[in-house]
């Protein structure tokens, strides 16, 4: 079937099998930041935006994105660098494998709630698992980033 | 004062990682690589009577299907454990064995152009099994009439006491002093059996490997591995080809924690590519990572600990029974740490005995997981000491202060090694202070059905395997005055590329940015055992330090030649080689390097290899402040306080994150992570839905303090940090739960159900 998807600002038309999962679709299109970390929709590594709302791309068929806008970290490089630098300043990126999904969801959080408190941060990002950091460094990075944005 | 060492610089790869660049194995594998998947056994113990692949092979886009018939069943067996040759782990594997030994064992390898074709072919392979009664209970495995490895070509290369005809993977006994006499004279005896389960490393990146044939016809393996050199040997052994025919390199790794110290995924695409000469890749699903990988060894540790009524610990008698599962990867070695890295904490003990058995069963093979046996042993010994304190009505920190090992002490249970650097006493004091221990211990009833309590535990680990592990480094000076550091150690997210570059930059007196790091690649890297056993900072770090010093000497040598004097007349300050006689003659580093490329015989490239007769232990004290809901039994970890002696933290940020991450893994092991099997040996916890690793909602705050000792044998005083950090939460949380509800638990994880049911 033919789908038309605006992927990272670029309109593409592809003939896909109806059972193609969005995660595989975007990776095939070169968006390798999108990772698969589980088979059960609960690690958060494959987070993308569909029409600017975060979604787990492992649990969405590519055809459901037909006619819609899909954004991955490849399309948010400036924001990724800006926030990512704060993770790097804590050493909290560690292995990096969960970073794209976490950063996508963090960007969604900052857009929805620019000055979240610690509880709101934990709750919003609860679905983003990380095995390296113990989450503490991520929290320090997020709080520092929010503070930096306020000062700016 | 150091300029770059002990500074929290950013990781060299950080911006690539946070912007999501394609740097992992599956990102780099080309799209035309054959997809490799495995048909896995539904039975815990069976014999493949017949296997029919005729129909499966007819599926369009299927390239090849391999079964036991394609593997010489009489060929030499091998181990997938990443260890120095000769490996202590027995040679008990074939790529595809006609006998399957756990639910999930490999029955067939399928390779095809698309995932869909491979999945379809997998469903069309017809297998007829002769099903055997499995050995599922590790307590009855030894000398069981059913053997997991009855085959004649089973082989144990090292004297570890193994005997496949007894289901015995290893046996050991050691001790000092007359333990029976010492214990018989003690006023108090604590005696229990402590049970820890297999736990999954659960690194976020699943096992992944890509293979291809290079321009020389050699097998190139790009894999998410901690052990490129061991991996080369394992693959060559598995395929029965020369090691010179294999090259292994690693890209960025999405976490390892020991899982990738075993060659879990490499041999399958290696087999496919070697046979077909076509590129292929395998990427494990999370389910496969959960059912057919290499989790922690389940152990039962029997402790008999004796003390005087004043609280002096006089003797420790330990027996550990370890479950290695269907294959012996890391079986003989993990068990040793359960005693050798718990008993030495208590310096006043006059005698010890440590006996161990490691047994085969028909469940997935265990392997290396951060802590490597020490975690299990420390849960047992530290829990027993906490119980002793409570029995004597003493403060557990005070009791430790009376008993702990100090710097300069000899550790009989740690191979007689001297304790060369240790601030365990300061760690105890620090945790007492930072946790406000004296006001919180043991518990407070909050009056709303909740009780807040606190508990603690201590830990040690090692820094590399003494007289065995090898760290290697090559540094070469490049045209612009930059340096390339080439290593065989594996940065798996830990940041070793970065801390090793910090060490190099410190010695070479150059900006951190001037060091480029390359590794690990068996064709290019100097030999290194790999990143495991808490070895990289201590061992490879020292190799880097020495290497950089020698390179400085080479730079001086060539600089002196250019200045027309002898090397004794010059010095190097990182920027230029200058004459020390005050006549202002100097030559810049860039000019020295440029001169090295024209009519020159003085190499500006040095390789250094290092090993250590000592394995200096890092130490740690941790305290868990929890809140128990007495109605539901739910435990919330409000605060975790820890003081760590890892020697000099080369990068305080990265050391801190290691500690925080390790502690949360330990908390997961204490409260939620479990692997259980049904009566047929099938794993229940085959996804993150059932296997519960902590989310960010499961932890309050983790507070870390460093109480640095100075280890003379380490680079700039450093020891290790990576493993010791997982060890304290187990006993600390178990004791805190006891302090809240009055019941002791001897098995992990301690679940809300158990706590709720335990209430009076």
């Amino acid at each position: 079937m033919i789908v038309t998807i605006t992927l990272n600002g670029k309109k593409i038309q592809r003939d896909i099998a109806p059972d193609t999962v969005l995660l595989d679709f975007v990776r095939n299109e070169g968006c390798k930041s999108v990772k698969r970390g589980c088979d059960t929709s609960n690690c958060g590594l494959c987070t993308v935006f569909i029409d600017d709302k975060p979604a787990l791309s492992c649990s969405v068929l590519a055809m459901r994105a037909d006619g819609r806008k899909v954004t991955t970290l490849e399309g948010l490089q400036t924001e990724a660098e800006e926030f990512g630098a704060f993770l790097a300043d804590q050493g909290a990126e560690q292995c990096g494998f969960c970073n794209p999904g976490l950063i996508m969801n963090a960007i969604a959080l900052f857009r929805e709630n620019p000055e979240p408190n610690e509880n709101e941060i934990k709750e919003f990002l609860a679905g983003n698992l990380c095995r390296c950091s113990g989450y503490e460094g991520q929290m320090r990075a997020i709080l520092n980033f929010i503070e930096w944005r306020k000062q700016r | 004062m150091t300029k770059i060492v002990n500074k929290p610089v950013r990781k060299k790869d950080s911006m690539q990682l946070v912007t999501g660049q394609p740097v992992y194995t599956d990102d780099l594998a080309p799209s035309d690589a054959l997809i490799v998947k495995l048909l896995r056994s539904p039975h815990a113990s069976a014999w493949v009577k017949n296997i029919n692949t005729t129909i499966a092979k007819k599926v369009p886009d299927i390239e090849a299907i391999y079964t036991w018939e394609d593997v010489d069943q009489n060929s030499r067996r091998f181990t997938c454990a990443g260890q120095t040759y000769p490996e202590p782990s027995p040679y008990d594997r074939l790529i595809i064995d006609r006998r399957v030994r756990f639910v999930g064992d490999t029955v067939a390898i399928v390779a095809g152009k698309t995932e869909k074709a491979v999945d379809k072919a997998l469903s069309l392979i017809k297998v007829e099994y002769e099903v055997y009664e499995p050995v599922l209970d590790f307590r009855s495995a030894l000398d069981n009439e059913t053997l997991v490895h009855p085959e004649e070509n089973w082989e144990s290369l090292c004297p570890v006491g193994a005997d496949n005809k007894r289901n015995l993977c290893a046996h050991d006994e050691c001790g000092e002093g007359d333990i029976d006499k010492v214990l018989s004279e003690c006023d108090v005896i604590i005696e229990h059996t402590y049970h820890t389960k297999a736990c999954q490393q659960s690194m976020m990146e699943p096992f992944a490997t890509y293979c291809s044939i290079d321009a020389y016809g050699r097998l190139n393996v790009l894999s998410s591995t901690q052990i490129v050199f061991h991996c080369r040997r394992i693959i060559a052994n598995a395929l029965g080809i020369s090691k010179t025919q294999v090259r292994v390199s690693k890209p960025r790794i999405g976490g390892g924690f020991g899982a990738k110290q075993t060659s879990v995924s490499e041999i399958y695409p290696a087999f496919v590519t070697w046979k077909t000469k076509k590129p292929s890749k395998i990427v494990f699903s999370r389910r496969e990572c959960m059912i057919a990988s290499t989790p922690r060894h389940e152990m039962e540790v029997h402790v008999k600990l004796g003390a005087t009524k004043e609280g002096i610990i006089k003797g420790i008698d330990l027996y550990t029974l370890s479950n290695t599962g269907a294959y012996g990867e890391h079986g003989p070695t993990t068990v040793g740490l359960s005693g050798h890295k718990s008993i030495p904490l208590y310096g006043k003990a006059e005698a010890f005995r440590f006996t161990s058995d490691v047994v085969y069963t028909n469940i997935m093979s265990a392997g290396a997981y951060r802590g490597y046996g020490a975690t299990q042993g420390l849960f047992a010994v530290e829990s027993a000491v906490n119980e002793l304190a409570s029995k004597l009505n003493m403060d557990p920190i005070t009791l430790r202060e009376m008993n702990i090992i100090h710097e300069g002490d000899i550790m009989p249970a740690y191979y007689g090694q001297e304790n060369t650097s240790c601030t365990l006493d300061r760690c105890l004091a620090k945790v007492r202070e930072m946790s406000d221990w004296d006001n919180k211990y043991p518990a407070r009833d909050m009056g709303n059905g909740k009780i807040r309590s606190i508990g603690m535990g201590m830990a040690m680990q090692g820094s590399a395997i003494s007289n065995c592990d090898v760290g290697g480094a090559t540094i070469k000076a490049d045209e612009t005055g930059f340096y390339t550091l080439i290593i065989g150690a594996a940065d798996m997210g830990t940041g070793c590329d970065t801390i090793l570059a910090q060490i190099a930059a410190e010695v070479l007196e150059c900006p951190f940015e001037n060091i480029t790091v390359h590794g690990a690649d068996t064709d290019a890297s100097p030999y290194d055992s790999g990143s495991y056993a808490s070895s990289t900072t201590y061992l490879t770090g020292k190799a880097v330090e020495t290497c950089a010093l020698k390179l400085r000497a080479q730079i001086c040598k060539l600089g002196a030649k250019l200045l027309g004097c002898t090397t004794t007349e010059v010095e190097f300050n990182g920027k230029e080689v200058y004459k020390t006689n005050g006549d202002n003659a100097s030559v810049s580093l860039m000019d020295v390097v440029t001169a090295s490329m024209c009519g020159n015989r003085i190499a500006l490239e040095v390789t250094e290899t290092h090993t250590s007769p000592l394995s200096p232990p890092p130490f740690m004290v941790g305290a868990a402040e929890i809140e128990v809901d007495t109605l539901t039994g739910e435990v919330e970890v409000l605060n975790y306080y820890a003081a760590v002696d890892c020697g000099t933290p080369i990068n305080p940020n990265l050391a801190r994150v290691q500690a925080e991450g390790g502690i949360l893994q330990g908390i997961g092991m204490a409260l939620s992570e479990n692997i259980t099997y049904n009566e047929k040996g099938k794993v229940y916890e085959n996804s993150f839905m059932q296997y519960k690793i902590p989310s960010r909602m499961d932890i309050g705050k983790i507070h870390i303090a460093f109480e640095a000792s100075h280890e003379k044998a380490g680079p700039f005083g450093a020891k290790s940090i990576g493993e010791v950090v997982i060890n304290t939460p187990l006993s600390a949380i178990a004791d805190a739960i006891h302090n809240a509800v009055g019941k002791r638990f001897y098995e992990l994880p301690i679940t809300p159900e158990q706590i709720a049911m335990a209430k009076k």
Side-chain angles (χ1 to χ4, degrees):
Chain A
M1 63 182 296
I2 307 285
V3 291
T4 308
I5 294 172
T6 305
L7 180 59
N8 293 326
K10 197 172 138 199
K11 202 174 217 176
I12 53 171
Q13 200 169 65
R14 297 287 184 265
D15 190 358
I16 60 164
D19 60 354
T20 306
V21 171
L22 184 59
L23 167 54
D24 296 317
F25 178 85
V26 295
R27 276 189 70 87
N28 273 333
E29 293 297 327
C31 300
K32 304 280 190 184
S33 74
V34 187
K35 304 292 193 237
R36 177 179 267 118
C38 72
D39 332 308
T40 43
S41 319
N42 64 318
C43 74
L45 267 61
C46 66
T47 305
V48 302
F49 293 167
I50 302 176
D51 289 341
D52 295 322
K53 290 270 179 245
L56 296 175
S57 63
C58 72
S59 305
V60 179
L61 288 175
M63 68 176 188
R64 294 293 297 268
D66 187 23
R68 300 168 78 179
K69 200 169 94 175
V70 174
T71 313
T72 70
L73 208 61
E74 280 79 359
L76 292 167
Q77 287 289 290
T78 313
E79 280 172 271
E81 269 179 47
E82 209 172 69
F83 170 60
F86 284 81
L87 277 176
D89 283 339
Q90 296 298 326
E93 78 285 7
Q94 287 289 294
C95 84
F97 206 73
C98 76
N99 286 195
L102 168 78
I103 294 173
M104 290 296 293
N105 227 6
I107 290 170
L109 164 65
F110 301 140
R111 286 178 181 180
E112 202 177 300
N113 179 2
E115 286 180 29
N117 63 33
E118 285 200 33
N119 278 338
E120 289 168 334
I121 294 167
K122 279 191 171 188
E123 212 160 282
F124 199 97
L125 301 176
N128 292 91
L129 295 180
C130 165
R131 191 61 158 170
C132 294
S133 72
Y135 307 107
E136 288 284 346
Q138 293 182 355
M139 179 61 85
R140 287 193 293 272
I142 292 167
L143 294 174
N144 288 349
F145 175 73
I146 293 167
E147 193 54 35
W148 170 79
R149 270 214 322 202
K150 261 197 279 186
Q151 305 293 325
R152 205 165 56 154
Chain B
M1 270 302 281
T2 53
K3 289 195 176 116
I4 300 162
V5 159
N6 198 19
K7 296 288 182 292
V9 300
R10 273 188 196 176
K11 267 174 66 195
K12 283 214 166 273
D13 51 2
S14 58
M15 292 315 287
Q16 296 298 101
L17 298 184
V18 297
T19 54
Q21 303 308 311
V23 293
Y24 303 92
T25 303
D26 192 32
D27 303 339
L28 298 167
S31 56
D32 65 347
L34 293 170
I35 305 293
V36 178
K37 288 198 184 192
L38 307 175
L39 180 69
R40 296 182 177 282
S41 165
H43 305 294
S45 181
W47 180 257
V48 176
K49 273 167 81 175
N50 289 299
I51 182 157
N52 186 336
T53 58
T54 319
I55 299 167
K57 276 180 178 156
K58 286 182 181 158
V59 174
D61 288 336
I62 288 299
E63 178 74 25
I65 299 179
Y66 303 106
T67 69
W68 69 268
E69 289 162 331
D70 300 291
V71 175
D72 179 2
Q73 298 292 299
N74 296 314
S75 62
R76 189 176 189 196
R77 289 178 177 262
F78 61 92
T79 177
C80 284
Q83 298 180 304
T84 299
Y85 181 85
E87 300 95 327
S89 300
Y91 277 25
D92 56 9
R93 281 192 187 255
L94 296 173
I95 292 185
I96 307 173
D97 201 322
R98 194 170 181 185
R99 174 187 278 267
V100 288
R101 294 181 177 79
F102 69 96
V103 177
D105 211 350
T106 306
V107 176
I109 306 172
V110 180
K113 289 202 176 74
T114 67
E115 194 173 344
K116 257 186 196 166
V118 172
D119 285 340
K120 176 136 201 219
L122 281 168
S123 71
L124 292 172
I125 298 173
K126 299 252 182 302
V127 193
E128 200 187 326
Y129 295 96
E130 185 181 341
V131 180
Y132 302 140
E133 191 62 35
V135 181
L136 294 176
D137 178 12
F138 77 128
R139 296 172 193 91
S140 58
L142 186 63
D143 293 324
N144 194 300
E145 59 184 21
T146 304
L147 293 180
V148 178
H149 284 275
E151 65 277 4
E152 292 304 322
N153 60 348
W154 178 95
E155 204 181 335
S156 172
L157 277 58
C158 293
V160 294
D163 184 351
N164 62 320
K165 299 295 164 73
R166 299 184 62 200
N167 282 334
L168 189 58
C169 176
H171 170 81
D172 196 26
E173 296 171 18
C174 63
E176 187 162 301
D178 188 343
I179 185 71
D180 294 317
K181 182 167 180 288
V182 168
L183 288 176
S184 70
E185 290 163 5
C186 284
D187 302 321
V188 197
I189 296 284
I190 304 290
E191 185 172 9
H192 291 288
T193 300
Y194 298 83
H195 185 196
T196 57
K197 303 295 189 61
C199 287
Q200 290 286 0
Q201 297 87 350
S202 307
M203 62 284 158
M204 285 293 121
E205 183 201 23
F207 299 100
T209 305
Y210 162 65
C211 296
S212 59
I213 300 290
D214 72 10
Y216 308 97
R218 297 162 74 227
L219 179 65
N220 270 234
V221 180
L222 180 77
S223 193
S224 186
T225 178
Q226 301 171 220
I227 42 152
V228 291
F229 285 98
H230 295 331
C231 208
R232 177 174 67 178
R233 179 179 64 250
I234 293 163
I235 290 166
N237 285 349
L239 270 52
I241 61 177
S242 161
K243 291 164 191 79
T244 58
Q245 293 286 71
V246 184
R247 171 191 176 196
V248 181
S249 58
K250 65 134 203 80
R252 290 296 97 187
I253 302 174
F257 313 115
K260 294 166 182 173
Q261 194 200 335
T262 298
S263 176
V264 173
S265 59
E266 287 85 357
I267 54 177
Y268 304 108
F271 188 74
V272 167
T273 292
W274 191 248
K275 287 266 190 192
T276 63
K277 305 299 175 196
K278 291 180 179 175
S280 73
K281 72 167 181 183
I282 194 167
V283 180
F284 272 35
S285 65
R286 182 57 61 184
R287 184 173 172 277
E288 287 178 295
C289 292
M290 291 290 180
I291 67 161
S293 51
T294 173
R296 189 183 291 288
H297 286 77
E298 175 185 26
M299 287 186 194
E300 264 192 0
V301 184
H302 182 91
V303 182
K304 190 172 179 187
L305 180 146
T308 65
K309 57 182 184 303
E310 292 78 27
I312 300 297
I313 296 166
K314 304 295 269 187
I316 302 175
D317 189 5
L318 218 65
Y319 169 74
T320 303
L321 177 67
S322 172
N323 185 357
T324 196
Y327 300 96
E329 272 95 21
H330 303 280
T333 39
T334 42
V335 74
L337 277 69
S338 70
H340 295 300
K341 285 174 184 159
S342 58
I343 300 169
L345 285 171
Y346 294 97
K348 298 262 169 70
E350 288 162 9
F352 83 93
R353 178 165 55 203
F354 173 41
T355 318
S356 59
D357 287 310
V358 185
V359 295
Y360 280 117
T361 57
N362 290 112
I363 59 165
M364 91 178 106
S365 171
Y369 180 5
R370 191 182 214 168
Y372 205 82
T375 315
Q376 295 94 312
L378 283 161
F379 167 59
V381 169
E382 287 301 283
S383 292
V385 174
N386 282 332
E387 189 166 337
L388 173 70
S390 140
K391 203 164 176 179
L392 293 173
N393 210 11
M394 284 179 71
D395 178 289
I397 294 184
T398 309
L399 180 78
R400 262 45 171 233
E401 285 166 344
M402 292 161 55
N403 284 286
I404 53 162
I405 182 110
H406 291 92
E407 195 165 296
D409 289 355
I410 300 295
M411 301 176 281
Y414 198 68
Y415 319 106
Q417 190 182 308
E418 183 190 337
N419 191 17
T420 45
S421 55
C422 176
T423 62
L424 195 50
D425 49 347
R426 275 162 54 195
C427 290
L428 282 169
K430 185 72 190 177
V431 166
R432 188 192 284 277
E433 174 219 313
M434 70 198 281
S435 68
D436 192 18
W437 177 270
D438 294 339
N439 287 315
K440 288 177 183 170
Y441 180 81
R444 286 167 292 164
D445 194 326
M446 305 307 285
N448 56 354
K450 297 192 175 181
I451 299 173
R452 283 192 185 179
S453 62
I454 197 163
M456 58 85 63
M458 305 194 302
M460 63 182 283
Q461 197 79 35
S463 302
I465 307 170
S466 48
N467 290 316
C468 175
D469 286 344
V470 167
T474 296
I475 308 178
K476 50 184 183 176
D478 297 331
E479 263 177 276
T480 45
F482 277 52
Y483 302 94
T484 305
L485 167 63
I486 309 166
I487 54 170
D491 192 333
M492 58 193 120
T494 47
C496 84
D497 288 359
T498 303
I499 63 119
L500 295 173
Q502 284 179 262
I503 292 169
E506 187 71 45
V507 177
L508 290 162
E509 294 183 75
C510 71
F512 174 64
E513 295 70 32
N514 287 14
I515 309 280
T516 302
V517 186
H518 178 76
D521 177 344
T522 55
D523 273 9
S525 302
Y527 182 80
D528 192 293
S529 319
S531 286
Y532 61 87
S534 292
S535 63
T536 303
T537 302
Y538 175 70
L539 215 57
T540 310
K542 193 70 185 177
V544 170
E545 185 191 358
T546 318
C547 186
L549 283 168
K550 287 188 175 171
L551 182 58
R552 285 182 67 105
Q554 289 296 97
I555 291 167
C556 284
K557 196 170 166 188
L558 184 52
K561 191 182 160 201
L562 296 174
L563 290 168
C565 62
T566 64
T567 47
T568 54
E569 294 171 272
V570 299
E571 268 175 23
F572 176 54
N573 62 10
K575 294 188 186 73
E576 56 189 17
V577 177
Y578 61 95
K579 284 177 83 170
T580 48
N581 64 359
D583 70 1
N584 285 334
S586 69
V587 54
S588 74
L589 172 63
M590 214 176 336
D591 287 343
V592 174
V593 181
T594 304
S596 78
M597 291 179 289
C598 181
N600 170 47
R601 284 179 184 162
I602 300 167
L604 293 189
E605 176 173 344
V606 174
T607 295
E608 182 66 17
T609 290
H610 184 61
T611 193
S612 172
L614 301 176
S615 176
F619 294 96
M620 182 161 176
V621 175
E625 184 186 12
I626 64 168
E627 185 170 272
V628 180
D629 185 322
T630 53
L631 186 66
T632 63
E634 192 189 3
V635 173
E636 207 181 321
V637 180
L638 303 174
N639 287 291
Y640 201 91
Y641 305 93
V644 190
D645 168 20
C646 60
T648 306
I650 301 291
N651 184 319
N653 270 0
L654 297 179
R656 178 176 304 277
V657 177
Q658 282 295 308
E660 291 164 343
I663 284 167
L664 193 56
Q665 287 186 4
I667 291 173
M669 191 175 168
L671 292 174
S672 65
E673 295 180 36
N674 199 359
I675 300 179
T676 58
Y677 293 86
N678 74 6
E679 73 288 351
K680 292 192 166 151
K682 191 175 170 198
V683 179
Y684 280 117
E685 295 80 9
N686 62 13
S687 78
F688 282 149
M689 286 294 189
Q690 295 99 339
Y691 188 83
K692 175 77 177 80
I693 66 169
S695 79
R696 70 190 74 227
M697 305 298 279
D698 298 315
I699 178 68
K701 277 273 166 211
I702 301 174
H703 313 262
I704 306 292
F706 289 101
E707 289 293 334
S709 62
H710 188 92
E711 173 50 52
K712 285 195 195 76
F716 297 94
K719 298 189 279 189
S720 76
I721 177 84
E723 291 188 276
V724 69
V725 290
I726 198 173
N727 294 333
T728 62
L730 290 67
S731 56
I733 288 175
D735 198 43
I737 291 171
H738 163 264
N739 294 339
V741 301
K743 182 178 162 63
R744 290 204 179 272
F745 291 88
Y746 301 99
E747 181 180 272
L748 298 180
I750 307 166
T751 62
E753 294 86 339
Q754 291 169 339
I755 295 167
M757 299 297 282
K759 273 189 337 218
K760 289 156 219 142

